[in-house]
Coordinates of all heavy atoms in Angstrom, one line a residue:
M1 N 1.3 -171.3 17.0 CA 1.0 -170.9 18.4 C 1.9 -171.8 19.3 O 1.9 -173.0 19.1 CB -0.5 -171.3 18.7 CG -1.0 -170.8 20.2 SD -2.5 -171.5 20.6 CE -2.0 -173.0 21.2
T2 N 2.5 -171.1 20.1 CA 3.5 -171.7 21.0 C 2.7 -171.8 22.5 O 2.1 -170.9 23.0 CB 4.8 -171.2 21.1 OG1 4.8 -169.7 21.5 CG2 5.5 -171.2 19.8
V3 N 3.2 -172.8 23.3 CA 2.8 -172.9 24.6 C 4.0 -173.3 25.4 O 5.0 -173.6 24.8 CB 1.7 -174.0 24.8 CG1 0.4 -173.6 24.2 CG2 2.2 -175.3 24.5
K4 N 3.9 -173.1 26.7 CA 5.0 -173.4 27.6 C 5.1 -174.9 27.9 O 4.0 -175.5 28.3 CB 5.1 -172.6 28.8 CG 5.8 -171.4 28.6 CD 5.9 -170.6 30.0 CE 6.7 -169.3 29.7 NZ 6.7 -168.4 30.8
C5 N 6.2 -175.6 27.9 CA 6.2 -177.0 28.3 C 6.1 -177.0 29.7 O 6.6 -176.2 30.4 CB 7.7 -177.5 27.9 SG 8.0 -179.2 28.6
R6 N 5.2 -178.0 30.1 CA 4.9 -178.2 31.5 C 6.0 -178.6 32.4 O 6.1 -178.4 33.6 CB 3.7 -179.2 31.6 CG 2.4 -178.5 31.4 CD 1.3 -179.5 31.7 NE 1.4 -180.7 30.9 CZ 0.9 -182.0 31.1 NH1 0.2 -182.1 32.2 NH2 1.1 -182.9 30.2
G7 N 7.1 -179.3 31.6 CA 8.1 -179.8 32.3 C 9.1 -178.8 32.6 O 9.7 -178.5 33.6
C8 N 9.7 -178.2 31.4 CA 10.9 -177.3 31.5 C 10.7 -175.9 31.3 O 11.5 -175.0 31.4 CB 12.0 -177.7 30.5 SG 11.5 -177.6 28.9
G9 N 9.4 -175.4 30.8 CA 9.0 -174.1 30.7 C 9.5 -173.5 29.4 O 9.1 -172.4 29.1
A10 N 10.2 -174.2 28.6 CA 10.5 -174.0 27.3 C 9.3 -173.7 26.3 O 8.3 -174.4 26.5 CB 11.5 -174.8 26.6
P11 N 9.4 -172.6 25.4 CA 8.2 -172.7 24.5 C 8.2 -173.7 23.5 O 9.3 -174.3 23.1 CB 8.5 -171.4 23.6 CG 10.1 -171.1 23.9 CD 10.3 -171.8 25.2
V12 N 7.0 -174.5 23.3 CA 6.9 -175.6 22.4 C 5.7 -175.2 21.4 O 4.8 -174.5 21.8 CB 6.7 -176.8 23.1 CG1 7.9 -177.3 23.9 CG2 5.4 -176.9 23.9
L13 N 5.8 -175.9 20.3 CA 4.8 -175.7 19.3 C 4.1 -177.0 19.2 O 4.8 -178.1 19.1 CB 5.6 -175.2 18.0 CG 4.8 -174.8 16.8 CD1 4.0 -173.4 17.0 CD2 5.8 -174.7 15.6
W14 N 2.7 -176.9 19.1 CA 2.1 -178.3 18.7 C 1.8 -178.4 17.4 O 1.1 -177.6 16.7 CB 0.8 -178.2 19.6 CG 1.1 -178.5 21.1 CD1 1.3 -177.5 22.1 CD2 1.1 -179.7 21.8 NE1 1.5 -178.1 23.3 CE2 1.4 -179.4 23.2 CE3 1.0 -181.1 21.4 CZ2 1.6 -180.4 24.2 CZ3 1.0 -182.1 22.4 CH2 1.4 -181.7 23.6
L15 N 2.3 -179.5 16.9 CA 2.1 -179.8 15.4 C 1.2 -181.1 15.3 O 1.2 -182.0 16.0 CB 3.5 -180.2 14.9 CG 4.4 -179.1 14.3 CD1 5.4 -179.9 13.2 CD2 3.7 -178.0 13.2
K16 N 0.4 -180.9 14.1 CA -0.4 -182.2 13.9 C 0.4 -183.1 13.1 O 0.9 -182.7 12.0 CB -1.6 -181.7 13.1 CG -2.8 -181.4 14.1 CD -3.9 -182.6 13.9 CE -4.9 -182.7 15.1 NZ -5.7 -181.5 15.2
T17 N 0.4 -184.3 13.4 CA 1.3 -185.3 12.6 C 0.3 -185.8 11.7 O -0.9 -185.7 11.7 CB 1.9 -186.3 13.4 OG1 0.8 -187.2 14.0 CG2 2.9 -185.8 14.5
E18 N 0.9 -186.6 10.6 CA 0.2 -187.1 9.6 C -1.0 -188.2 10.2 O -2.0 -188.3 9.6 CB 1.1 -188.2 8.7 CG 1.7 -187.3 7.6 CD 2.5 -188.2 6.8 OE1 3.1 -189.2 7.4 OE2 2.6 -188.2 5.5
S19 N -0.7 -188.8 11.4 CA -1.6 -189.6 12.0 C -2.6 -189.0 12.7 O -3.5 -189.6 13.3 CB -0.9 -190.7 12.9 OG 0.0 -190.1 13.7
G20 N -2.7 -187.7 12.7 CA -3.7 -186.8 13.4 C -3.5 -186.6 14.8 O -4.3 -185.9 15.5
K21 N -2.3 -187.0 15.3 CA -2.0 -186.7 16.7 C -1.3 -185.3 16.8 O -0.6 -185.0 15.9 CB -0.9 -187.8 17.2 CG -1.6 -189.1 17.5 CD -0.6 -190.1 18.2 CE -1.3 -191.5 18.2 NZ -0.1 -192.5 18.4
S22 N -1.3 -184.8 18.0 CA -0.5 -183.5 18.2 C 0.7 -183.9 18.8 O 0.8 -184.7 19.8 CB -1.4 -182.6 19.0 OG -2.5 -182.0 18.3
M23 N 1.9 -183.2 18.4 CA 3.1 -183.5 19.0 C 3.8 -182.2 19.3 O 3.9 -181.3 18.6 CB 3.9 -184.3 17.9 CG 5.3 -184.4 18.2 SD 5.8 -186.0 18.3 CE 6.4 -186.1 16.5
P24 N 4.4 -182.3 20.5 CA 5.1 -180.9 20.9 C 6.5 -181.0 20.2 O 7.3 -181.9 20.4 CB 5.2 -181.1 22.4 CG 5.1 -182.5 22.7 CD 4.3 -183.1 21.6
V25 N 6.8 -179.8 19.6 CA 8.1 -179.8 19.0 C 8.8 -178.4 19.3 O 8.1 -177.4 19.9 CB 8.0 -179.7 17.4 CG1 7.5 -181.1 17.0 CG2 7.2 -178.5 16.9
D26 N 10.0 -178.3 19.4 CA 10.7 -177.0 19.6 C 10.4 -176.1 18.4 O 10.3 -176.5 17.2 CB 12.3 -177.2 19.5 CG 12.7 -178.0 20.8 OD1 11.9 -178.2 21.7 OD2 13.8 -178.3 21.0
P27 N 10.1 -174.8 18.8 CA 9.6 -173.9 17.7 C 10.6 -173.5 16.7 O 10.2 -172.9 15.7 CB 9.1 -172.7 18.7 CG 9.8 -172.8 19.9 CD 10.1 -174.2 20.1
E28 N 11.8 -173.7 16.9 CA 12.9 -173.2 16.0 C 13.0 -174.4 15.0 O 13.3 -175.5 15.3 CB 14.3 -173.0 16.6 CG 14.2 -171.9 17.6 CD 14.3 -170.6 16.9 OE1 15.1 -170.5 15.9 OE2 13.7 -169.5 17.5
K29 N 13.0 -174.1 13.7 CA 13.1 -175.1 12.7 C 14.7 -175.3 12.5 O 15.5 -174.4 12.7 CB 12.7 -174.6 11.4 CG 11.3 -175.0 11.0 CD 10.8 -174.9 9.7 CE 10.0 -173.6 9.4 NZ 9.5 -173.6 8.0
V30 N 15.0 -176.6 12.3 CA 16.5 -176.9 12.1 C 16.6 -177.6 10.7 O 15.7 -178.2 10.2 CB 16.9 -177.8 13.3 CG1 16.9 -177.1 14.5 CG2 16.3 -179.1 13.1
M31 N 17.9 -177.7 10.3 CA 18.2 -178.4 9.1 C 18.3 -179.8 9.3 O 18.8 -180.1 10.4 CB 19.5 -177.8 8.6 CG 19.6 -177.6 6.9 SD 20.9 -177.0 6.4 CE 20.2 -175.2 6.1
Y32 N 17.8 -180.7 8.5 CA 18.0 -182.2 8.7 C 18.3 -182.9 7.5 O 18.1 -182.4 6.4 CB 16.7 -182.7 9.3 CG 15.6 -182.7 8.4 CD1 15.3 -184.0 7.7 CD2 14.7 -181.6 8.1 CE1 14.1 -184.0 6.7 CE2 13.6 -181.7 7.3 CZ 13.4 -182.9 6.5 OH 12.4 -182.9 5.7
W33 N 18.8 -184.0 7.8 CA 19.3 -184.7 6.5 C 18.7 -186.1 6.7 O 18.8 -186.8 7.7 CB 20.8 -185.1 6.8 CG 21.6 -183.9 6.2 CD1 22.4 -183.7 5.1 CD2 21.9 -182.7 7.2 NE1 23.0 -182.5 5.1 CE2 22.7 -181.9 6.2 CE3 21.4 -182.1 8.2 CZ2 23.2 -180.5 6.7 CZ3 22.0 -181.0 8.7 CH2 22.8 -180.2 7.9
K34 N 17.8 -186.4 5.7 CA 17.0 -187.7 5.9 C 17.9 -188.9 5.6 O 18.6 -188.9 4.7 CB 16.0 -187.6 4.8 CG 15.0 -188.8 4.9 CD 13.8 -188.5 4.0 CE 12.7 -189.5 4.1 NZ 11.5 -189.1 3.2
V35 N 17.9 -189.7 6.6 CA 18.8 -190.8 6.5 C 18.0 -192.2 7.0 O 17.2 -192.1 7.9 CB 19.9 -190.8 7.6 CG1 20.8 -192.1 7.6 CG2 20.9 -189.6 7.3
R36 N 18.0 -193.2 6.2 CA 17.4 -194.5 6.6 C 18.0 -194.9 7.8 O 19.3 -195.1 7.8 CB 17.5 -195.5 5.4 CG 16.7 -196.6 5.5 CD 17.1 -197.7 4.6 NE 16.6 -197.2 3.1 CZ 15.6 -197.6 2.5 NH1 14.8 -198.6 3.1 NH2 15.2 -197.1 1.3
G37 N 17.2 -195.2 8.8 CA 17.7 -195.7 10.1 C 18.3 -194.6 10.8 O 19.2 -194.9 11.8
G38 N 18.2 -193.4 10.6 CA 18.7 -192.2 11.4 C 18.3 -192.2 12.7 O 17.1 -192.7 13.0
K39 N 19.1 -191.8 13.7 CA 18.7 -192.0 15.1 C 18.0 -190.8 15.5 O 17.2 -190.9 16.6 CB 20.1 -192.0 16.0 CG 20.7 -193.3 15.7 CD 21.9 -193.3 16.8 CE 22.7 -194.6 16.6 NZ 23.5 -194.5 15.4
K40 N 17.8 -189.6 14.8 CA 17.1 -188.5 15.3 C 15.7 -188.5 14.5 O 15.7 -189.2 13.6 CB 18.0 -187.2 14.9 CG 19.2 -187.3 15.3 CD 19.3 -186.8 16.7 CE 20.7 -186.7 17.3 NZ 21.0 -186.3 18.6
R41 N 14.8 -187.7 15.1 CA 13.5 -187.7 14.6 C 13.2 -186.2 14.2 O 13.6 -185.4 15.1 CB 12.5 -188.3 15.3 CG 12.5 -189.7 15.6 CD 12.1 -190.4 14.1 NE 12.2 -191.8 14.4 CZ 13.3 -192.5 14.3 NH1 14.5 -192.0 14.1 NH2 13.3 -193.9 14.4
I42 N 12.7 -185.9 13.1 CA 12.2 -184.6 12.7 C 10.8 -184.7 12.3 O 10.4 -185.6 11.7 CB 13.1 -184.0 11.5 CG1 14.5 -183.5 12.1 CG2 12.5 -183.0 10.6 CD1 14.3 -182.2 12.9
V43 N 10.1 -183.6 12.6 CA 8.7 -183.5 12.1 C 8.8 -182.4 11.1 O 9.1 -181.3 11.4 CB 7.7 -183.1 13.3 CG1 6.2 -183.2 12.6 CG2 7.8 -184.2 14.3
T44 N 8.3 -182.8 9.8 CA 8.3 -181.7 8.9 C 7.1 -180.8 9.1 O 6.2 -181.1 9.8 CB 8.3 -182.4 7.4 OG1 6.9 -182.9 7.4 CG2 9.1 -183.4 7.2
P45 N 7.1 -179.7 8.4 CA 5.9 -178.7 8.5 C 4.8 -179.4 8.2 O 3.7 -178.9 8.5 CB 6.3 -177.6 7.6 CG 7.8 -177.6 7.7 CD 8.3 -179.0 7.6
N46 N 4.7 -180.4 7.3 CA 3.5 -181.1 6.9 C 3.1 -182.2 7.9 O 2.0 -182.8 7.6 CB 3.8 -182.0 5.6 CG 4.2 -181.1 4.4 OD1 3.8 -179.9 4.5 ND2 5.0 -181.6 3.5
G47 N 3.8 -182.4 8.9 CA 3.4 -183.4 9.9 C 4.0 -184.8 9.8 O 3.5 -185.7 10.4
E48 N 4.9 -184.8 8.9 CA 5.5 -186.2 8.7 C 6.8 -186.3 9.5 O 7.6 -185.4 9.6 CB 6.0 -186.2 7.2 CG 6.4 -187.5 6.6 CD 7.1 -187.5 5.2 OE1 7.0 -186.3 4.7 OE2 7.6 -188.4 4.9
T49 N 6.8 -187.5 10.2 CA 7.9 -187.8 11.0 C 9.1 -188.6 10.1 O 8.7 -189.6 9.5 CB 7.5 -188.8 12.1 OG1 6.4 -188.1 12.8 CG2 8.7 -188.8 13.2
V50 N 10.3 -188.0 10.3 CA 11.3 -188.4 9.4 C 12.4 -189.0 10.2 O 12.9 -188.2 11.2 CB 11.8 -187.3 8.4 CG1 12.9 -187.8 7.5 CG2 10.7 -186.8 7.6
A51 N 13.1 -190.2 10.0 CA 14.2 -190.6 10.4 C 15.5 -189.9 9.8 O 15.4 -189.9 8.7 CB 14.4 -192.1 10.4
C52 N 16.3 -189.3 10.7 CA 17.2 -188.5 10.1 C 18.5 -188.2 10.8 O 18.6 -188.8 12.1 CB 16.6 -186.9 9.8 SG 16.2 -186.3 11.3
E53 N 19.4 -187.5 10.4 CA 20.6 -186.9 11.2 C 20.3 -185.5 11.2 O 19.9 -184.9 10.4 CB 21.9 -187.4 10.7 CG 22.1 -189.0 10.7 CD 22.1 -189.3 12.2 OE1 22.4 -188.6 13.1 OE2 22.0 -190.6 12.4
L54 N 21.1 -184.9 12.2 CA 20.9 -183.4 12.3 C 22.2 -182.7 11.9 O 22.3 -181.4 12.2 CB 20.5 -182.9 13.6 CG 19.0 -183.4 14.1 CD1 18.8 -183.0 15.6 CD2 18.1 -182.9 13.1
S55 N 23.1 -183.5 11.3 CA 24.3 -182.8 10.8 C 24.8 -183.5 9.6 O 24.4 -184.6 9.3 CB 25.4 -182.8 11.9 OG 25.6 -184.1 12.2
G56 N 25.4 -182.7 8.7 CA 25.9 -183.2 7.5 C 26.4 -182.2 6.6 O 26.6 -181.0 6.9
D57 N 26.5 -182.5 5.4 CA 27.0 -181.7 4.2 C 25.8 -180.7 4.0 O 24.8 -181.1 3.5 CB 27.4 -182.4 3.1 CG 28.4 -181.7 2.4 OD1 28.6 -180.6 2.4 OD2 29.4 -182.6 1.8
L58 N 26.0 -179.4 4.1 CA 25.0 -178.4 3.8 C 24.4 -178.6 2.4 O 23.2 -178.4 2.4 CB 25.7 -176.9 3.9 CG 25.6 -176.3 5.3 CD1 26.1 -174.8 5.0 CD2 24.3 -176.3 5.9
Q59 N 25.2 -178.9 1.4 CA 24.5 -179.1 0.1 C 23.5 -180.2 0.2 O 22.7 -180.2 -0.8 CB 25.6 -179.4 -0.9 CG 26.8 -178.4 -0.9 CD 27.9 -178.9 -2.0 OE1 27.7 -179.9 -2.5 NE2 28.9 -178.0 -2.0
D60 N 23.7 -181.2 1.0 CA 22.9 -182.4 0.9 C 21.7 -182.3 1.9 O 20.9 -183.2 1.9 CB 23.7 -183.7 1.2 CG 24.9 -183.8 0.3 OD1 24.8 -183.4 -0.9 OD2 25.9 -184.4 0.7
A61 N 21.6 -181.3 2.6 CA 20.4 -181.1 3.5 C 19.1 -181.4 2.8 O 18.8 -181.0 1.6 CB 20.5 -179.8 4.1
T62 N 18.3 -182.2 3.6 CA 16.8 -182.5 2.9 C 16.0 -181.3 3.0 O 15.4 -181.1 2.3 CB 16.3 -183.7 3.7 OG1 17.3 -184.7 3.8 CG2 15.1 -184.3 3.0
G63 N 16.1 -180.6 4.2 CA 15.2 -179.5 4.3 C 15.2 -179.0 5.7 O 16.1 -179.3 6.6
M64 N 14.1 -178.2 6.1 CA 13.9 -177.7 7.5 C 12.8 -178.4 8.1 O 11.8 -178.7 7.5 CB 13.8 -176.2 7.4 CG 14.8 -175.3 6.7 SD 16.4 -175.3 7.6 CE 15.9 -174.0 8.9
G65 N 13.0 -178.6 9.4 CA 11.9 -179.4 10.1 C 12.0 -179.1 11.6 O 12.9 -178.3 12.0
Y66 N 11.2 -179.7 12.3 CA 11.0 -179.4 13.7 C 11.6 -180.6 14.5 O 11.2 -181.8 14.3 CB 9.7 -179.1 14.2 CG 9.0 -177.9 13.6 CD1 8.2 -177.8 12.4 CD2 9.3 -176.6 14.2 CE1 7.7 -176.7 11.8 CE2 8.7 -175.5 13.5 CZ 8.0 -175.5 12.3 OH 7.5 -174.4 11.8
V67 N 12.3 -180.2 15.6 CA 12.8 -181.3 16.6 C 11.7 -181.7 17.6 O 11.3 -180.8 18.2 CB 14.1 -180.9 17.3 CG1 14.4 -181.9 18.3 CG2 15.1 -180.3 16.4
P68 N 11.3 -182.9 17.7 CA 10.3 -183.1 18.7 C 10.8 -182.8 20.0 O 11.9 -183.0 20.4 CB 10.2 -184.6 18.6 CG 10.7 -185.1 17.2 CD 11.7 -184.1 16.9
H69 N 10.0 -182.2 20.9 CA 10.4 -181.6 22.1 C 10.9 -182.7 23.1 O 11.8 -182.4 23.9 CB 9.3 -180.8 22.9 CG 9.8 -180.1 24.0 ND1 10.8 -179.2 24.1 CD2 9.5 -180.2 25.3 CE1 11.0 -178.7 25.2 NE2 10.3 -179.5 26.1
W70 N 10.3 -184.0 23.0 CA 10.9 -185.0 23.9 C 12.2 -185.3 23.7 O 12.8 -186.0 24.5 CB 9.9 -186.3 23.9 CG 9.6 -186.8 22.4 CD1 8.5 -186.7 21.8 CD2 10.5 -187.5 21.5 NE1 8.5 -187.3 20.5 CE2 9.8 -187.8 20.5 CE3 11.9 -187.9 21.6 CZ2 10.4 -188.5 19.3 CZ3 12.4 -188.6 20.5 CH2 11.6 -188.9 19.3
S71 N 12.8 -185.0 22.5 CA 14.3 -185.3 22.4 C 15.2 -184.2 23.0 O 16.3 -184.4 23.2 CB 14.6 -185.5 20.9 OG 14.5 -184.4 20.2
T72 N 14.6 -183.0 23.3 CA 15.6 -182.0 23.9 C 15.1 -181.7 25.3 O 15.9 -181.0 26.1 CB 15.4 -180.7 23.0 OG1 14.0 -180.1 23.0 CG2 15.9 -181.0 21.7
C73 N 13.8 -182.0 25.7 CA 13.3 -181.6 27.1 C 14.0 -182.3 28.2 O 14.1 -183.6 28.2 CB 11.8 -181.9 27.1 SG 11.0 -181.3 28.7
P74 N 14.6 -181.6 29.1 CA 15.3 -182.2 30.2 C 14.3 -183.0 31.2 O 14.9 -183.7 32.0 CB 16.1 -181.1 31.0 CG 15.4 -179.9 30.5 CD 14.8 -180.1 29.1
K75 N 13.1 -182.6 31.2 CA 12.0 -183.0 32.1 C 11.2 -184.2 31.5 O 10.4 -184.7 32.2 CB 11.1 -181.9 32.5 CG 11.9 -180.7 33.3 CD 12.1 -181.3 34.8 CE 12.8 -180.1 35.5 NZ 13.0 -180.4 36.8
W76 N 11.4 -184.4 30.3 CA 10.5 -185.3 29.5 C 10.3 -186.7 30.3 O 9.1 -187.2 30.4 CB 10.8 -185.4 28.2 CG 9.6 -185.9 27.3 CD1 9.3 -187.2 26.8 CD2 8.5 -185.1 27.1 NE1 8.2 -187.2 26.2 CE2 7.6 -186.0 26.2 CE3 8.3 -183.7 27.0 CZ2 6.4 -185.4 25.6 CZ3 7.0 -183.2 26.5 CH2 6.0 -184.0 25.9
K77 N 11.3 -187.3 30.7 CA 11.4 -188.5 31.5 C 10.5 -188.5 32.7 O 9.7 -189.4 32.9 CB 12.9 -188.9 31.7 CG 13.5 -189.7 30.5 CD 14.8 -190.2 31.0 CE 15.6 -190.6 29.6 NZ 17.0 -190.1 29.8
D78 N 10.7 -187.4 33.4 CA 9.7 -187.2 34.6 C 8.2 -187.3 34.3 O 7.6 -187.9 35.0 CB 10.0 -185.9 35.4 CG 11.5 -185.8 35.7 OD1 12.2 -186.7 35.7 OD2 12.0 -184.7 36.1
F79 N 8.0 -186.7 33.4 CA 6.7 -186.7 32.8 C 6.1 -187.9 32.6 O 4.9 -188.2 32.9 CB 6.7 -186.0 31.5 CG 6.3 -184.8 31.2 CD1 6.9 -183.8 30.3 CD2 5.2 -184.2 31.9 CE1 6.6 -182.7 30.2 CE2 4.8 -183.0 31.6 CZ 5.4 -182.1 30.7
K80 N 6.9 -188.8 31.9 CA 6.3 -190.0 31.3 C 6.0 -191.0 32.5 O 5.1 -191.8 32.3 CB 7.5 -190.7 30.5 CG 7.4 -190.0 29.1 CD 7.1 -191.0 27.9 CE 6.7 -190.1 26.8 NZ 6.6 -191.0 25.6
K81 N 6.6 -190.7 33.6 CA 6.4 -191.8 34.7 C 5.1 -191.4 35.2 O 4.5 -192.3 35.9 CB 7.5 -191.4 35.8 CG 8.8 -192.0 35.5 CD 9.8 -191.8 36.7 CE 11.3 -191.9 36.1 NZ 12.2 -191.2 36.9
K82 N 4.7 -190.1 35.3 CA 3.4 -189.8 35.9 C 2.1 -190.4 35.2 O 2.1 -190.5 34.0 CB 3.3 -188.3 36.1 CG 4.1 -187.7 37.2 CD 4.2 -186.2 37.2 CE 5.4 -185.7 38.0 NZ 5.7 -184.4 37.7
Ligands
ZN1 ZN1 10.2 -179.5 28.2

């Protein structure tokens, strides 16, 4: 189920993470490469948050996952202030 982001109006999907929290993510799955100390975060369909990079060698891709919406939302910072 997707809902609209209150900040930018983009469709977001709410995923349950392993810790039981709901997290808004972009609805399109992207390929990710699991990297220790990676700067990006991906939430897997199982709700696991993974440190990763979003580019790399296709053959070495770890899998498909969701990008947390806070990393792509242009309005997310405004939100946090409120
Ligand atoms: Zn947004």
Side-chain angles (χ1 to χ4, degrees):
M1 188 190 82
T2 58
V3 295
K4 274 190 178 166
C5 171
R6 278 183 300 157
C8 67
V12 293
L13 191 67
W14 286 87
L15 271 194
K16 266 250 160 69
T17 65
E18 278 183 323
S19 53
K21 286 183 189 160
S22 291
M23 164 128 96
V25 297
D26 289 351
E28 299 279 322
K29 269 196 259 188
V30 299
M31 211 172 268
Y32 70 96
W33 286 255
K34 191 171 183 175
V35 178
R36 189 186 293 258
K39 288 189 183 71
K40 309 281 185 174
R41 292 292 179 276
I42 277 287
V43 186
T44 69
N46 300 335
E48 190 189 348
T49 309
V50 178
C52 64
E53 293 295 341
L54 295 179
S55 59
D57 213 325
L58 271 188
Q59 303 174 5
D60 300 331
T62 310
M64 302 286 282
Y66 296 98
V67 179
H69 186 60
W70 48 254
S71 71
T72 61
C73 182
K75 298 279 186 181
W76 200 258
K77 277 183 193 142
D78 301 348
F79 253 140
K80 288 238 157 166
K81 279 180 205 156
K82 284 173 196 166

